[in-house]
Amino acid sequence: MIQADLHIHTVYSADSVIQPKTLVDKLVAHSFIKIAAVTDHDSVRGCKATIELASAYSDILIIPGVEISTLQGDMVILGTEELPPRPWTPEVVVDYANSIDAVSIVAHPYREYGMGDLTRNYKVDAIEILNGGSTATANNLAKELAKSMGLPGTAGSDAHQISELFSVCTKIDASLDVEAILKAIKKGFVSTQMTKGSIHF
Ligand SMILES: [Zn+2]
């Protein structure tokens, strides 16, 4: 069982202050979270930079990704170092993810920029049911949505500040390998966990 924070922003998102190097250092230092998905807003520059830095360490893994701002709400793609083609509609994001064996996830459905009940219209792979920046009520609604749609639920801190890193994590039944992790998420071999206070400064 491995533990991953599947939603993190670096300075390549205009609203984050987390440097790729800081993320790598915190991951190396963390006692049990060794995997992080870098999902900047509409950019893959952050995940590329972080992967480069992380390649010096054999016990940590960066999952490349992006958080796409669609008109209907935010969507995370895990397993891509490229942006989907435009226009960025939920259908295009889903089709793009399918075409490259990536994972499409509806981010924080019941928060600002969330897709809410519209999620039901799209064939996404998973729903973010535990977001570090969402209220317990919003996370519970997301959990119910995933359950009613029969979809796997993921967890991500949605960190924009260093202190927000690793506040939640996804437990995944997979090896330390991006392809294996993506497959396990799609199959639902995942559970979510709150881990507040597990990062040390
Ligand atoms: Zn985000």
Side-chain angles (χ1 to χ4, degrees), residues 7 9 41 67 108 158 160:
H7 187 162
H9 294 270
H41 295 293
E67 183 170 26
H108 47 70
D158 207 355
H160 290 72

Side-chain angles (χ1 to χ4, degrees), residues 102-178:
V103 178
S104 60
I105 302 172
V106 169
H108 47 70
Y110 294 100
R111 211 183 73 199
E112 201 184 3
Y113 304 115
M115 203 175 268
D117 294 338
L118 285 178
T119 302
R120 295 183 186 280
N121 298 335
Y122 308 110
K123 290 191 162 55
V124 292
D125 294 311
I127 292 172
E128 188 180 61
I129 61 169
L130 184 57
N131 176 291
S134 291
T135 61
T137 308
N139 282 328
N140 282 334
L141 284 170
K143 204 172 178 178
E144 281 170 28
L145 178 68
K147 203 176 165 189
S148 77
M149 290 180 72
L151 289 176
T154 62
S157 66
D158 207 355
H160 290 72
Q161 313 273 336
I162 298 163
S163 62
E164 294 166 351
L165 282 168
F166 315 143
S167 60
V168 301
C169 77
T170 310
K171 285 173 140 183
I172 308 166
D173 192 1
S175 55
L176 200 67
D177 170 77
V178 172

Side-chain angles (χ1 to χ4, degrees), residues 8-48:
I8 293 172
H9 294 270
T10 71
V11 288
Y12 291 92
S13 295
D15 53 356
S16 171
V17 298
I18 302 169
Q19 292 287 347
K21 173 141 183 15
T22 310
L23 171 56
V24 167
D25 289 347
K26 294 293 177 192
L27 209 50
V28 168
H30 201 278
S31 56
F32 58 90
I33 296 174
K34 292 291 172 190
I35 300 141
V38 175
T39 55
D40 283 306
H41 295 293
D42 307 323
S43 170
V44 288
R45 291 168 64 207
C47 70
K48 287 182 179 174

Side-chain angles (χ1 to χ4, degrees), residues 59-82:
D59 65 331
I60 66 167
L61 185 68
I62 302 297
I63 298 171
V66 62
E67 183 170 26
I68 297 291
S69 317
T70 78
L71 279 178
Q72 288 73 17
D74 289 349
M75 296 177 81
V76 163
I77 309 173
L78 298 181
T80 184
E81 286 189 46
E82 305 299 331

